[in-house]
mmCIF file of all heavy atoms in Angstrom:
data_model
loop_
_atom_site.group_PDB
_atom_site.id
_atom_site.type_symbol
_atom_site.label_atom_id
_atom_site.label_comp_id
_atom_site.label_asym_id
_atom_site.label_seq_id
_atom_site.Cartn_x
_atom_site.Cartn_y
_atom_site.Cartn_z
ATOM 1 N N ARG I 110 47.920 -12.252 -9.410
ATOM 2 C CA ARG I 110 47.021 -12.698 -8.345
ATOM 3 C C ARG I 110 46.363 -11.537 -7.620
ATOM 4 O O ARG I 110 45.180 -11.644 -7.260
ATOM 5 C CB ARG I 110 47.739 -13.532 -7.341
ATOM 6 C CG ARG I 110 48.168 -14.902 -7.845
ATOM 7 C CD ARG I 110 48.731 -15.685 -6.643
ATOM 8 N NE ARG I 110 49.323 -16.972 -7.029
ATOM 9 C CZ ARG I 110 48.604 -18.097 -7.145
ATOM 10 N NH1 ARG I 110 47.314 -18.076 -6.871
ATOM 11 N NH2 ARG I 110 49.167 -19.177 -7.523
ATOM 12 N N ALA I 125 39.693 -14.930 -0.098
ATOM 13 C CA ALA I 125 40.394 -14.980 1.158
ATOM 14 C C ALA I 125 40.844 -13.599 1.491
ATOM 15 O O ALA I 125 41.154 -12.807 0.583
ATOM 16 C CB ALA I 125 41.578 -15.888 1.096
ATOM 17 N N ILE I 148 49.009 -17.923 3.614
ATOM 18 C CA ILE I 148 49.820 -18.443 2.495
ATOM 19 C C ILE I 148 50.380 -17.221 1.709
ATOM 20 O O ILE I 148 49.648 -16.296 1.379
ATOM 21 C CB ILE I 148 49.037 -19.313 1.530
ATOM 22 C CG1 ILE I 148 48.338 -20.440 2.223
ATOM 23 C CG2 ILE I 148 49.916 -19.846 0.388
ATOM 24 C CD1 ILE I 148 47.754 -21.471 1.318
ATOM 25 N N LYS I 150 52.075 -15.943 -1.630
ATOM 26 C CA LYS I 150 52.146 -16.374 -3.016
ATOM 27 C C LYS I 150 52.747 -15.276 -3.849
ATOM 28 O O LYS I 150 52.412 -14.105 -3.682
ATOM 29 C CB LYS I 150 50.738 -16.649 -3.578
ATOM 30 C CG LYS I 150 49.940 -17.728 -2.838
ATOM 31 C CD LYS I 150 48.554 -17.869 -3.463
ATOM 32 C CE LYS I 150 47.727 -18.879 -2.753
ATOM 33 N NZ LYS I 150 46.362 -19.032 -3.285
ATOM 34 N N GLY I 155 52.942 -18.164 -10.701
ATOM 35 C CA GLY I 155 52.799 -19.320 -9.831
ATOM 36 C C GLY I 155 51.820 -20.283 -10.418
ATOM 37 O O GLY I 155 50.826 -19.912 -10.983
ATOM 38 N N TYR I 156 52.096 -21.568 -10.260
ATOM 39 C CA TYR I 156 51.113 -22.564 -10.719
ATOM 40 C C TYR I 156 51.406 -23.897 -10.023
ATOM 41 O O TYR I 156 52.542 -24.114 -9.596
ATOM 42 C CB TYR I 156 51.092 -22.773 -12.212
ATOM 43 C CG TYR I 156 52.331 -23.357 -12.780
ATOM 44 C CD1 TYR I 156 52.412 -24.723 -13.105
ATOM 45 C CD2 TYR I 156 53.448 -22.546 -13.037
ATOM 46 C CE1 TYR I 156 53.601 -25.240 -13.645
ATOM 47 C CE2 TYR I 156 54.617 -23.094 -13.562
ATOM 48 C CZ TYR I 156 54.658 -24.407 -13.834
ATOM 49 O OH TYR I 156 55.847 -24.933 -14.386
ATOM 50 N N ASP I 157 50.407 -24.758 -9.906
ATOM 51 C CA ASP I 157 50.595 -26.084 -9.258
ATOM 52 C C ASP I 157 51.306 -25.959 -7.928
ATOM 53 O O ASP I 157 52.182 -26.756 -7.581
ATOM 54 C CB ASP I 157 51.353 -27.027 -10.192
ATOM 55 C CG ASP I 157 50.472 -27.455 -11.355
ATOM 56 O OD1 ASP I 157 49.297 -27.260 -11.293
ATOM 57 O OD2 ASP I 157 51.074 -28.058 -12.277
ATOM 58 N N GLY I 158 50.916 -24.966 -7.139
ATOM 59 C CA GLY I 158 51.535 -24.838 -5.781
ATOM 60 C C GLY I 158 52.915 -24.243 -5.784
ATOM 61 O O GLY I 158 53.484 -24.060 -4.715
ATOM 62 N N GLN I 161 54.786 -20.533 -3.650
ATOM 63 C CA GLN I 161 53.964 -20.412 -2.475
ATOM 64 C C GLN I 161 54.631 -20.883 -1.219
ATOM 65 O O GLN I 161 55.355 -21.827 -1.293
ATOM 66 C CB GLN I 161 52.659 -21.267 -2.618
ATOM 67 C CG GLN I 161 51.856 -20.843 -3.758
ATOM 68 C CD GLN I 161 50.481 -21.490 -3.728
ATOM 69 O OE1 GLN I 161 50.114 -22.180 -2.721
ATOM 70 N NE2 GLN I 161 49.709 -21.382 -4.776
ATOM 71 N N ARG I 163 53.621 -21.602 2.979
ATOM 72 C CA ARG I 163 52.579 -21.609 4.011
ATOM 73 C C ARG I 163 53.223 -21.085 5.248
ATOM 74 O O ARG I 163 54.325 -21.467 5.628
ATOM 75 C CB ARG I 163 52.055 -23.024 4.237
ATOM 76 C CG ARG I 163 51.318 -23.490 2.988
ATOM 77 C CD ARG I 163 50.620 -24.766 3.172
ATOM 78 N NE ARG I 163 49.805 -24.963 1.913
ATOM 79 C CZ ARG I 163 48.697 -25.635 1.820
ATOM 80 N NH1 ARG I 163 48.191 -26.172 2.890
ATOM 81 N NH2 ARG I 163 48.075 -25.748 0.655
ATOM 82 N N GLU I 185 47.704 -14.287 1.817
ATOM 83 C CA GLU I 185 46.341 -14.617 1.915
ATOM 84 C C GLU I 185 46.084 -15.338 3.262
ATOM 85 O O GLU I 185 46.871 -16.175 3.621
ATOM 86 C CB GLU I 185 45.953 -15.643 0.846
ATOM 87 C CG GLU I 185 45.919 -15.154 -0.523
ATOM 88 C CD GLU I 185 45.506 -16.296 -1.429
ATOM 89 O OE1 GLU I 185 44.765 -17.211 -1.062
ATOM 90 O OE2 GLU I 185 45.934 -16.214 -2.598
ATOM 91 N N GLY I 186 44.977 -15.007 3.865
ATOM 92 C CA GLY I 186 44.598 -15.768 5.060
ATOM 93 C C GLY I 186 44.221 -17.183 4.604
ATOM 94 O O GLY I 186 43.767 -17.424 3.507
ATOM 95 N N PHE I 187 44.591 -18.166 5.494
ATOM 96 C CA PHE I 187 44.316 -19.555 5.165
ATOM 97 C C PHE I 187 42.799 -19.853 5.308
ATOM 98 O O PHE I 187 42.224 -19.512 6.296
ATOM 99 C CB PHE I 187 45.100 -20.493 6.081
ATOM 100 C CG PHE I 187 45.147 -21.842 5.645
ATOM 101 C CD1 PHE I 187 46.180 -22.294 4.817
ATOM 102 C CD2 PHE I 187 44.222 -22.765 6.058
ATOM 103 C CE1 PHE I 187 46.228 -23.586 4.342
ATOM 104 C CE2 PHE I 187 44.292 -24.101 5.565
ATOM 105 C CZ PHE I 187 45.225 -24.501 4.744
ATOM 106 N N VAL I 188 42.231 -20.367 4.292
ATOM 107 C CA VAL I 188 40.770 -20.662 4.287
ATOM 108 C C VAL I 188 40.591 -22.142 4.679
ATOM 109 O O VAL I 188 41.125 -23.050 3.993
ATOM 110 C CB VAL I 188 40.128 -20.442 2.906
ATOM 111 C CG1 VAL I 188 38.699 -20.751 2.909
ATOM 112 C CG2 VAL I 188 40.387 -19.003 2.466
ATOM 113 N N ASP I 189 39.863 -22.344 5.773
ATOM 114 C CA ASP I 189 39.523 -23.735 6.145
ATOM 115 C C ASP I 189 38.314 -24.202 5.348
ATOM 116 O O ASP I 189 37.197 -24.258 5.865
ATOM 117 C CB ASP I 189 39.242 -23.837 7.665
ATOM 118 C CG ASP I 189 40.542 -23.973 8.435
ATOM 119 O OD1 ASP I 189 41.400 -24.816 8.039
ATOM 120 O OD2 ASP I 189 40.666 -23.201 9.440
ATOM 121 N N PHE I 190 38.522 -24.536 4.086
ATOM 122 C CA PHE I 190 37.449 -24.848 3.182
ATOM 123 C C PHE I 190 36.955 -26.267 3.411
ATOM 124 O O PHE I 190 37.658 -27.128 3.884
ATOM 125 C CB PHE I 190 37.844 -24.623 1.741
ATOM 126 C CG PHE I 190 39.134 -25.336 1.333
ATOM 127 C CD1 PHE I 190 39.109 -26.649 1.106
ATOM 128 C CD2 PHE I 190 40.298 -24.595 1.191
ATOM 129 C CE1 PHE I 190 40.325 -27.317 0.717
ATOM 130 C CE2 PHE I 190 41.461 -25.213 0.718
ATOM 131 C CZ PHE I 190 41.492 -26.604 0.541
ATOM 132 N N GLU I 193 37.125 -27.706 -2.587
ATOM 133 C CA GLU I 193 37.509 -26.765 -3.642
ATOM 134 C C GLU I 193 36.701 -27.133 -4.852
ATOM 135 O O GLU I 193 36.561 -28.353 -5.159
ATOM 136 C CB GLU I 193 39.015 -26.945 -3.915
ATOM 137 C CG GLU I 193 39.918 -26.444 -2.817
ATOM 138 C CD GLU I 193 41.351 -26.432 -3.248
ATOM 139 O OE1 GLU I 193 41.775 -25.597 -4.005
ATOM 140 O OE2 GLU I 193 42.105 -27.341 -2.760
ATOM 141 N N HIS I 216 43.508 -31.704 -4.366
ATOM 142 C CA HIS I 216 44.909 -31.536 -4.760
ATOM 143 C C HIS I 216 45.824 -32.422 -3.924
ATOM 144 O O HIS I 216 45.511 -32.769 -2.767
ATOM 145 C CB HIS I 216 45.287 -30.056 -4.529
ATOM 146 C CG HIS I 216 44.629 -29.120 -5.456
ATOM 147 N ND1 HIS I 216 43.315 -28.700 -5.249
ATOM 148 C CD2 HIS I 216 45.014 -28.487 -6.575
ATOM 149 C CE1 HIS I 216 42.938 -27.887 -6.251
ATOM 150 N NE2 HIS I 216 44.012 -27.744 -7.076
ATOM 151 N N GLY I 219 49.919 -29.776 -3.816
ATOM 152 C CA GLY I 219 49.635 -28.520 -4.549
ATOM 153 C C GLY I 219 49.276 -28.739 -5.987
ATOM 154 O O GLY I 219 49.057 -27.754 -6.660
ATOM 155 N N GLU I 258 38.500 -21.029 -10.069
ATOM 156 C CA GLU I 258 38.679 -21.959 -8.956
ATOM 157 C C GLU I 258 38.195 -21.254 -7.710
ATOM 158 O O GLU I 258 38.549 -20.074 -7.469
ATOM 159 C CB GLU I 258 40.179 -22.279 -8.782
ATOM 160 C CG GLU I 258 40.700 -23.069 -9.942
ATOM 161 C CD GLU I 258 42.165 -23.572 -9.675
ATOM 162 O OE1 GLU I 258 42.413 -24.195 -8.687
ATOM 163 O OE2 GLU I 258 43.026 -23.143 -10.520
ATOM 164 N N PHE I 260 36.786 -21.768 -3.308
ATOM 165 C CA PHE I 260 36.701 -22.524 -2.029
ATOM 166 C C PHE I 260 35.311 -22.401 -1.533
ATOM 167 O O PHE I 260 34.655 -21.337 -1.648
ATOM 168 C CB PHE I 260 37.636 -21.828 -0.960
ATOM 169 C CG PHE I 260 39.098 -21.725 -1.296
ATOM 170 C CD1 PHE I 260 39.766 -20.508 -1.152
ATOM 171 C CD2 PHE I 260 39.798 -22.867 -1.766
ATOM 172 C CE1 PHE I 260 41.133 -20.436 -1.461
ATOM 173 C CE2 PHE I 260 41.173 -22.711 -2.033
ATOM 174 C CZ PHE I 260 41.824 -21.559 -1.907
ATOM 175 N N ASN I 270 39.408 -18.307 -5.574
ATOM 176 C CA ASN I 270 40.890 -18.441 -5.368
ATOM 177 C C ASN I 270 41.632 -17.882 -6.568
ATOM 178 O O ASN I 270 42.401 -16.935 -6.386
ATOM 179 C CB ASN I 270 41.225 -19.909 -5.106
ATOM 180 C CG ASN I 270 42.721 -20.059 -4.932
ATOM 181 O OD1 ASN I 270 43.419 -19.165 -4.449
ATOM 182 N ND2 ASN I 270 43.309 -21.179 -5.321
ATOM 183 N N GLU I 271 41.424 -18.433 -7.710
ATOM 184 C CA GLU I 271 42.109 -17.885 -8.909
ATOM 185 C C GLU I 271 41.344 -18.237 -10.128
ATOM 186 O O GLU I 271 40.382 -18.973 -10.128
ATOM 187 C CB GLU I 271 43.558 -18.316 -8.970
ATOM 188 C CG GLU I 271 43.715 -19.837 -9.090
ATOM 189 C CD GLU I 271 45.168 -20.242 -9.272
ATOM 190 O OE1 GLU I 271 46.049 -19.325 -9.524
ATOM 191 O OE2 GLU I 271 45.451 -21.440 -9.229
HETATM 192 P P1 LIG E 401 46.717 -21.876 -6.063
HETATM 193 O O1 LIG E 401 48.008 -21.961 -6.757
HETATM 194 O O2 LIG E 401 46.365 -20.544 -5.576
HETATM 195 O O3 LIG E 401 45.624 -22.563 -6.742
HETATM 196 O O4 LIG E 401 46.902 -22.796 -4.728
HETATM 197 C C1 LIG E 401 47.159 -24.185 -4.787
HETATM 198 C C2 LIG E 401 46.395 -24.906 -3.703
HETATM 199 O O5 LIG E 401 46.808 -24.490 -2.462
HETATM 200 C C3 LIG E 401 44.861 -24.621 -3.764
HETATM 201 O O6 LIG E 401 44.226 -25.388 -4.686
HETATM 202 C C4 LIG E 401 44.468 -24.928 -2.324
HETATM 203 O O7 LIG E 401 44.420 -26.317 -2.128
HETATM 204 C C5 LIG E 401 45.657 -24.391 -1.562
HETATM 205 N N1 LIG E 401 45.393 -22.999 -1.170
HETATM 206 C C6 LIG E 401 45.713 -21.909 -1.922
HETATM 207 N N2 LIG E 401 45.388 -20.789 -1.316
HETATM 208 C C7 LIG E 401 44.739 -21.172 -0.128
HETATM 209 C C8 LIG E 401 44.183 -20.344 0.992
HETATM 210 N N3 LIG E 401 44.107 -19.065 0.983
HETATM 211 N N4 LIG E 401 43.675 -21.159 1.986
HETATM 212 C C9 LIG E 401 43.730 -22.503 1.976
HETATM 213 N N5 LIG E 401 44.327 -23.213 0.972
HETATM 214 C C10 LIG E 401 44.792 -22.572 -0.051
#
Side-chain angles (χ1 to χ4, degrees):
R110 287 185 186 275
I148 305 192
K150 302 178 179 177
Y156 66 99
D157 288 345
Q161 296 193 9
R163 295 189 175 209
E185 290 180 29
F187 194 88
V188 178
D189 276 314
F190 51 77
E193 290 187 74
H216 293 78
E258 293 185 57
F260 301 130
N270 178 31
E271 61 175 350

